[in-house]
Amino acid sequence: MHFFKSLYLQDRFFYAILGIIVCFVMSFIFPNFFFITKLLLLILLTFLFLDIVILYATRTGISGKRETPEKFSNGDDNAIHIHLENYYTFPIDVKIIDEIPEQFQVRDFSILKKIPASSAIELKYKLRPTERGAYTFGKLNVYIKSILGLVSRRFYFDNKVMVPTYPAFLQLKKYDLLAISNNLTMYGIKKIRRIGHTMEFEQIKDYVTGDDLRTINWKATAKRNQLMVNQFQDEKSQPVYSVIDKGRVMKMPFDGLSLLDYAINATLVLSNVILKKQDKAGMFTFSKKVENIVVAEKRSAQMSMILESLYNVDTDFFESDYGRLYADIKRNIKHRSLILLYTNFETLDALHRQLPYLKGIAKSHLLVVVFFKNTELDELIHGDATTIQEAYDKVIAEKFSFEKRLIVSELKKYGIHSILTSPENLTIDAINKYLEMKARGLV
């Protein structure tokens, strides 16, 4: 039974059969052609039998292995490696059909290759997941053919392999060394020169040989009639929280990912930069209530805790409760912190409904509201209108775009910082803002 399940007749065989059928039909017109047709049929059956014997002469004709990452990075290209080894003493043609996870909705995946005799090859293809969760691979099907090409033999390997998909952790490597060296200008990140110390004042003390003359406190020196200097200590780590709105406004899709996924990816990368800068990174999400809380700390396991907390975050389609958010922040975050709030406001009225709570948060903390441009409107705004309907659509699109800029102005009026960005630039713009505030001494 296994033999018949693994045996597949190929197109070359059916073409040959079709040709022989035509020859049999011709034999009714030319009787002498009948013998030649029977001879051709016998030759075809002989080659068919020979092809089967060649492919099935050895029990293990080929070995295969699919190598997947330990986990997928959401929104990034993840490499899948396939290793094949040919144990036959002749070259074979292979067709690889990998049963990739159903989330990708790919039903025509195949790779055609030729493997030399007694040798191995390494293949690679990439998958880009657009949602977090468990991705299950099916069988790695490998169909092999000899030079005759009348039949193929099927092998399959690595059935039911599950790979979890996490937020875009691959982006951490891209910004890791750059965050340490501050060499972020190549990604469009501003480099700001800070005037003064990266230290905070501790006390005034007597001058001793070796003290920096630039730290002399002349007023204290005049009072004591001896040299006095200011003593500084290293800045203490500041808490930085990423707050993600997981209400229905964050379900809007862009390039396969939702706004929530972009916010999650940016939170992961920014948290890594924050820790590299010796600050404390924390996060939580909110909608009807505050969840997925990771308290801002500067410990070695902090990134793992943030990654695990972000893994299962999803939109719940509720209207987000900013009153609950304000109450939780007031009750649980006692020290002044930098809070980056990832949300989305489409209209000025939507902002005004939540503005009292944002102002309340901004009184005790340094608040940055991060929201998104509707980039799909750009084509309407910058395109030429040729009909009345297109002109109407263009005016409406410009109104929405202008209202986004009004939101920025309204927040600025109450001392609330903001980032208005496109989804693909969110990570860079968020890092920019954090580094800018740190350079200005606001954090």
Side-chain angles (χ1 to χ4, degrees):
M1 185 61 69
H2 176 73
F3 168 78
F4 291 106
K5 285 185 176 180
S6 64
L7 180 65
Y8 292 82
L9 297 173
Q10 296 300 295
D11 292 344
R12 187 176 296 181
F13 172 78
F14 291 109
Y15 291 144
I17 285 291
L18 182 61
I20 290 174
I21 292 173
V22 172
C23 290
F24 273 116
V25 173
M26 295 293 293
S27 298
F28 286 98
I29 304 173
F30 306 101
N32 292 333
F33 200 55
F34 184 65
F35 175 75
I36 297 174
T37 303
K38 289 194 296 183
L39 183 60
L40 290 174
L41 178 59
L42 181 61
I43 293 172
L44 175 62
L45 294 176
T46 301
F47 276 112
L48 177 65
F49 177 75
L50 182 61
D51 202 7
I52 293 173
V53 170
I54 290 173
L55 292 178
Y56 286 86
T58 175
R59 181 177 180 83
T60 307
I62 189 171
S63 67
K65 184 179 181 182
R66 180 205 301 119
E67 294 181 357
T68 60
E70 183 180 345
K71 51 183 177 284
F72 282 151
S73 177
N74 193 28
D76 294 323
D77 288 329
N78 299 264
I80 310 297
H81 296 270
I82 297 176
H83 177 80
L84 297 177
E85 187 167 358
N86 177 18
Y87 296 120
Y88 290 104
T89 55
F90 54 86
I92 56 173
D93 294 310
V94 298
K95 181 179 182 180
I96 303 161
I97 299 179
D98 197 359
E99 297 176 3
I100 64 179
E102 61 181 9
Q103 288 94 330
F104 295 102
Q105 290 297 300
V106 177
R107 297 293 178 264
D108 56 352
F109 179 88
S110 66
I111 301 175
L112 300 176
K113 281 291 180 181
K114 190 177 189 71
I115 307 180
S118 304
S119 61
I121 62 169
E122 187 87 22
L123 305 173
K124 182 177 78 170
Y125 67 92
K126 294 181 178 180
L127 295 175
R128 181 179 180 266
T130 56
E131 56 186 64
R132 285 160 287 111
Y135 285 64
T136 303
F137 286 83
K139 298 173 182 176
L140 174 63
N141 300 281
V142 181
Y143 299 84
I144 65 170
K145 294 188 298 184
S146 70
I147 192 172
L148 296 177
L150 296 175
V151 296
S152 67
R153 181 181 177 184
R154 176 199 179 203
F155 294 87
Y156 65 87
F157 311 95
D158 297 338
N159 190 21
K160 299 298 181 184
V161 176
M162 194 279 286
V163 181
T165 298
Y166 280 78
F169 59 86
L170 288 181
Q171 295 183 24
L172 297 179
K173 298 177 182 178
K174 182 166 68 173
Y175 297 103
D176 204 356
L177 293 176
L178 298 172
I180 297 173
S181 64
N182 274 338
N183 185 23
L184 293 156
T185 52
M186 62 182 292
Y187 289 100
I189 297 176
K190 291 176 279 188
K191 200 172 183 179
I192 298 172
R193 179 172 175 264
R194 180 177 177 181
I195 306 299
H197 295 278
T198 56
M199 315 276 279
E200 62 180 23
F201 177 78
E202 184 180 18
Q203 64 178 350
I204 300 173
K205 70 179 188 70
D206 294 335
Y207 174 83
V208 295
T209 304
D211 282 340
D212 189 348
L213 295 177
R214 293 174 297 180
T215 63
I216 293 177
N217 187 318
W218 293 108
K219 287 185 178 181
T221 297
K223 289 180 179 179
R224 296 285 301 275
N225 200 26
Q226 66 181 51
L227 287 175
M228 306 293 292
V229 294
N230 294 328
Q231 186 175 28
F232 296 90
Q233 63 179 359
D234 291 339
E235 282 185 342
K236 296 176 181 177
S237 297
Q238 301 299 315
V240 182
Y241 281 92
S242 296
V243 181
I244 302 173
D245 181 354
K246 60 176 185 178
R248 61 170 174 258
V249 296
M250 297 294 281
K251 191 63 177 178
M252 182 183 294
F254 180 85
D255 195 22
L257 297 176
S258 67
L259 295 183
L260 177 68
D261 284 312
Y262 282 104
I264 287 172
N265 292 345
T267 295
L268 185 65
V269 176
L270 181 59
S271 297
N272 188 52
V273 173
I274 290 167
L275 292 172
K276 295 295 181 185
K277 289 295 183 181
Q278 303 304 310
D279 283 329
K280 300 175 182 178
M283 58 81 57
F284 55 89
T285 65
F286 80 102
S287 178
K288 297 295 286 183
K289 59 181 179 179
V290 173
E291 298 176 304
N292 309 107
I293 301 172
V294 178
V295 178
E297 294 289 348
K298 194 180 65 174
R299 51 192 167 194
S300 57
Q302 192 72 357
M303 281 305 300
S304 296
M305 294 178 64
I306 292 174
L307 183 62
E308 290 299 329
S309 297
L310 292 172
Y311 173 62
N312 287 319
V313 174
D314 200 3
T315 49
D316 56 16
F317 300 101
F318 289 115
E319 182 76 26
S320 297
D321 188 347
Y322 280 78
R324 182 68 177 269
L325 173 67
Y326 167 70
D328 271 76
I329 290 177
K330 187 174 180 64
R331 182 170 60 252
N332 297 317
I333 304 180
K334 301 299 183 182
H335 299 286
R336 180 172 173 81
S337 307
L338 171 61
I339 296 177
L340 290 101
L341 172 60
Y342 297 92
T343 184
N344 199 30
F345 295 113
E346 290 293 338
T347 64
L348 203 56
D349 289 337
L351 172 67
H352 283 150
R353 287 197 297 271
Q354 314 302 344
L355 194 55
Y357 304 115
L358 298 179
K359 288 160 61 178
I361 296 172
K363 284 182 181 178
S364 305
H365 304 280
L366 183 60
L367 176 62
V368 180
V369 177
V370 185
F371 61 110
F372 299 90
K373 297 177 182 176
N374 193 336
T375 53
E376 294 186 1
L377 296 178
D378 291 344
E379 185 177 346
L380 286 173
I381 294 172
H382 299 296
D384 295 327
T386 57
T387 66
I388 295 177
Q389 181 63 44
E390 289 177 353
Y392 176 78
D393 292 341
K394 184 174 181 178
V395 170
I396 295 299
E398 289 176 345
K399 177 183 179 297
F400 277 113
S401 181
F402 178 68
E403 199 148 2
K404 290 277 188 178
R405 296 193 294 274
L406 284 179
I407 292 172
V408 174
S409 300
E410 189 73 8
L411 290 169
K412 187 176 182 181
K413 186 192 303 181
Y414 297 101
I416 301 173
H417 299 266
S418 63
I419 301 174
L420 175 59
T421 182
S422 57
E424 71 269 24
N425 293 328
L426 173 61
T427 300
I428 287 177
D429 288 342
I431 296 175
N432 258 335
K433 195 69 175 180
Y434 164 72
L435 293 179
E436 176 189 346
M437 290 185 157
K438 190 167 181 66
R440 289 169 57 189
L442 299 178
V443 180

